[in-house]
Amino acid sequence: MKRRATVKKRKMSRRRKKSIFTNFYFSFSVFASIIILSGVGFLLFSPRFQISQLSVSGNNNIATEDLERVAQDKLKTSFSILGMDVSTESIFLSMGKGVNGLKESFPEIEKVTIKKNFPNGISLQIVEKTPYAIWTDEFDNSKCYLVDKNGSYIKNYEPKDEYASLIKINEKEEVKDLDKKKTLESFSKIETKLKNNSIIVSGFDIYEGKIVVQSNLACKIHFCVFEDYCDLDWQIEKLSILLGDSKYSSKLDKLEYIELRFGNQANIK
């Protein structure tokens, strides 16, 4: 009987020790969690880290007051805790997704750089898009707007002297899935080649199956750009051959058009 009692006592002792060990880690985990949550709460809600200073620079065509007003709204982060809606303007959370929201509000913006001035200041460096062309959707009530070199919308077009030198692009017919960036790259290549031959391009007319170059010449030049089989480099090469042939180059002002889209031929009229 004594032996059995001793064994039982040892087992109970072991269980008791294991329980104490477990409780220690549990208590430590609870204590650590409280410390971490308190620290996070301090960083998120302490008045010391709530943004009170906002500065904006780099903008030329967008009013600073408008940028500050929208940015101030984007600084707020709202979430729910135990069914309560709370918000904060902590510098540690500010302007994460807000940059995209700011760019959506002002399509003129190309890039926003954020600098955090601890403990409660934010500086926004704005880079605006550079107008590259005047794009008109003639198929859609002649909507006219400025685009940058990537074909990205900037703002609706208003006649100003600073835009007088921009290339004018008229989308006569709607081209489905039109990649404006690639289209502008093709136009730039064409414009450079013609300029080397003393032909000044003023604009491009876009149709579903072709583009027509408008220049200081009376004749129109037709290119194939949008289809997969279009070889723009070869079309430009064909044009170079024509322009280098005095038989044709001397008659450019009398021609109606130069058709470069098909095969190895260059049809002229």
Side-chain angles (χ1 to χ4, degrees):
M1 292 292 292
K2 255 184 178 179
R3 190 170 182 182
R4 291 179 183 173
T6 303
V7 173
K8 187 175 182 181
K9 191 174 181 180
R10 287 178 181 174
K11 287 184 177 180
M12 290 178 63
S13 177
R14 288 176 183 174
R15 287 177 185 170
R16 196 176 295 117
K17 288 181 180 179
K18 185 176 182 181
S19 177
I20 294 172
F21 194 64
T22 302
N23 287 337
F24 170 77
Y25 275 103
F26 175 76
S27 300
F28 178 79
S29 299
V30 171
F31 179 74
S33 298
I34 292 173
I35 295 296
I36 292 172
L37 290 174
S38 298
V40 171
F42 176 74
L43 295 177
L44 295 184
F45 298 105
S46 171
R48 178 174 176 76
F49 298 116
Q50 299 297 301
I51 295 171
S52 59
Q53 299 176 17
L54 173 65
S55 63
V56 178
S57 61
N59 53 304
N60 296 312
N61 299 309
I62 310 172
T64 300
E65 300 78 26
D66 294 338
L67 284 166
E68 289 177 341
R69 173 177 50 80
V70 175
Q72 194 69 49
D73 181 64
K74 302 301 180 184
L75 290 174
K76 295 179 181 179
T77 301
S78 300
F79 46 89
S80 180
I81 299 178
L82 299 176
M84 297 184 299
D85 293 330
V86 296
S87 63
T88 176
E89 293 184 11
S90 172
I91 193 171
F92 295 100
L93 295 178
S94 61
M95 295 302 289
K97 296 180 180 179
V99 169
N100 291 331
L102 193 64
K103 292 170 74 174
E104 288 175 2
S105 299
F106 300 97
E108 302 98 316
I109 295 177
E110 180 176 352
K111 181 181 178 182
V112 180
T113 301
I114 302 172
K115 181 181 178 182
K116 298 185 178 184
N117 307 312
F118 287 93
N120 54 12
I122 287 284
S123 299
L124 301 180
Q125 177 68 35
I126 306 296
V127 177
E128 296 180 354
K129 296 175 182 175
T130 301
Y132 181 79
I134 303 169
W135 196 294
T136 302
D137 294 334
E138 292 196 11
F139 64 89
D140 188 10
N141 299 317
S142 294
K143 291 180 181 177
C144 191
Y145 46 91
L146 298 174
V147 296
D148 64 7
K149 62 182 179 180
N150 295 317
S152 178
Y153 173 88
I154 299 178
K155 63 180 180 179
N156 291 339
Y157 169 72
E158 296 178 2
K160 291 183 179 180
D161 291 340
E162 60 189 290
Y163 303 143
S165 61
L166 297 181
I167 290 294
K168 298 173 180 61
I169 299 172
N170 302 306
E171 194 171 349
K172 300 283 189 178
E173 300 173 351
E174 183 177 12
V175 179
K176 293 183 179 180
D177 301 321
L178 178 65
D179 188 327
K180 289 184 178 179
K181 181 180 180 180
K182 289 184 178 180
T183 299
L184 290 174
E185 289 173 352
S186 297
F187 288 176
S188 177
K189 186 182 290 188
I190 293 170
E191 182 184 7
T192 299
K193 186 61 184 179
L194 293 180
K195 186 177 181 180
N196 291 338
N197 287 274
S198 301
I199 299 175
I200 307 302
V201 175
S202 58
F204 296 85
D205 293 339
I206 297 177
Y207 297 88
E208 190 170 358
K210 67 179 178 181
I211 63 109
V212 178
V213 181
Q214 305 289 345
S215 68
N216 57 332
L217 299 177
C219 88
K220 305 293 188 288
I221 307 174
H222 299 185
F223 284 90
C224 172
V225 174
F226 308 118
E227 305 298 335
D228 292 337
Y229 58 79
C230 296
D231 187 341
L232 183 59
D233 290 330
W234 173 231
Q235 293 174 77
I236 292 175
E237 183 63 27
K238 287 192 294 182
L239 179 62
S240 298
I241 294 171
L242 278 176
L243 296 176
D245 190 331
S246 59
K247 185 169 94 173
Y248 298 108
S249 60
S250 61
K251 301 177 181 179
L252 288 176
D253 286 329
K254 298 178 182 179
L255 297 176
E256 182 179 338
Y257 66 79
I258 300 175
E259 176 62 78
L260 300 165
R261 291 181 293 163
F262 308 112
N264 295 325
Q265 298 178 342
N267 300 320
I268 61 175
K269 179 180 178 181

